[in-house]
Amino acid sequence: MIHPSLVKKQRILMLGFLVLIVMTAVISLSIGYASLSFDRLFPTILGEGTFKEEFVLFSIRLPRILITLLAGMALAVSGAILQGVTRNDLADPGIIGINSGAGVAIAVFFLYFPIDAGTFIYLLPVVAFAGALLIACLIFLFSYSKRVGFQPVKLILVGVGFSMAMSGTMVILISSSEREKVDFISKWLAGSIWGTDWPFILALLPWLVILIPFTLLKAQQLNLLSLQEETAIGVGVSIGKERFVLLLAAVALAAAAVSVTGGIAFIGLMAPHLAKALVGRRNQLYLPIAILLGGWLLLLADTIGRNLADPEGIAAGIMTALIGAPYFIYLLLKLK
């Protein structure tokens, strides 16, 4: 039974983060290389703007904002699942190599397979999921022991090792590729929000519409998986089945997100931790807040990054790393 005061606190926090998201989105819509002043924003939304204003708003800014929000939400849920399934508070799809696996798969697909403009966008999440799933299975295989089960510290070490191996593979792949394709992959590696058009939203949205509600429905199972295996088995949880299904969901969410945003790390680490600090570790309480936090953090990082240096700005992945890397070190020292 969740105490009513915690439920009330959760709802207040969710409302607060929704307001933050709206405020950040309004600011993001109004500032940038092609300016769109605040006083012209709402008339343009209502269809009373010039051609330039409507183009900047509806073809450039709004799709980018929606992509960053959706991707941040997906990464936050993915990180929360991984932390629960592995019982490791340092788990994050970017840190343990899942994003890198998705990146290598996308690079291979982009460099060596014929690309059809009509299907390329929608195939990207599928290709990324295949690569991420392969790496995730290898990571879990190497960090599992029949005697002690999953080893949280070993999981991080194995994941970091695979992440570095995938980075080396990416360098090999691009070393003999055409310059135009190398530029694209380089931007992907930096976490540049490159999928900034409406079809990319349509490619990403179905994954979130299915998998985020599914994860929320599995909140109680995640609570139990966070306990010791003997305890979870004792209350009737099918550990192998639940862990496998939730792992698939985490990998799919991370792969779908990074397929259109590039290599974004630390959102899946920070959002769940901040949400837990606010309302506690019960998934029913912190998951909805983590979803909003993840969307807001990536939107904020992208808004700041793209306005720091004209015309292309600083990649969102670099901005999240500037904040997330020190936070990761802090958590590492704290957990030690």
Side-chain angles (χ1 to χ4, degrees), residues 21 52 61 73 120 126 131 133 144 156 171 218 244 262 265 321:
I21 287 172
K52 179 184 176 182
R61 299 269 170 81
M73 291 176 179
F120 173 70
V126 178
L133 181 61
Y144 181 81
I156 293 296
V171 171
K218 289 285 187 179
F244 177 72

Side-chain angles (χ1 to χ4, degrees), residues 1 41 103 111 147 191 212 293 323 325:
M1 179 69 180
L41 181 58
L111 293 172
R147 186 170 57 87
I212 289 181
L293 257 171
I323 303 169

Side-chain angles (χ1 to χ4, degrees), residues 91-113:
D92 167 82
I95 294 171
I96 67 172
I98 292 175
N99 289 0
S100 298
V104 170
I106 288 174
V108 171
F109 177 66
F110 185 71
L111 293 172
Y112 301 112
F113 285 81

Side-chain angles (χ1 to χ4, degrees), residues 131-210:
L133 181 61
L134 175 61
I135 294 302
C137 290
L138 291 172
I139 291 169
F140 276 75
L141 179 66
F142 281 101
S143 59
Y144 181 81
S145 168
K146 287 185 177 180
R147 186 170 57 87
V148 296
F150 280 109
Q151 302 171 72
V153 175
K154 190 175 180 181
L155 178 82
I156 293 296
L157 296 175
V158 171
V160 170
F162 269 100
S163 181
M164 295 182 70
M166 291 299 100
S167 298
T169 303
M170 190 78 82
V171 171
I172 294 171
L173 287 172
I174 65 177
S175 61
S176 59
S177 303
E178 300 172 15
R179 181 179 178 82
E180 295 78 8
K181 294 186 175 182
V182 170
D183 288 343
F184 165 79
I185 296 173
S186 299
K187 289 181 179 179
W188 191 97
L189 286 170
S192 176
I193 310 294
W194 69 276
T196 55
D197 206 351
W198 293 103
F200 290 95
I201 297 172
L202 295 177
L204 178 58
L205 195 58
W207 297 74
L208 275 70
V209 168
I210 295 170

Side-chain angles (χ1 to χ4, degrees), residues 29 34-36 44-45 47 49-64 196-198:
L29 285 170
S35 61
L36 180 64
T44 305
I45 292 174
T50 64
F51 172 79
K52 179 184 176 182
E53 289 171 336
E54 291 186 358
F55 178 78
V56 169
L57 179 63
F58 293 111
S59 298
I60 300 175
R61 299 269 170 81
L62 193 55
R64 186 183 185 110
T196 55
D197 206 351
W198 293 103

Side-chain angles (χ1 to χ4, degrees), residues 319-332:
M319 297 301 300
T320 58
L322 288 173
I323 303 169
Y327 188 70
F328 176 74
I329 296 170
Y330 160 75
L331 287 176
L332 192 62

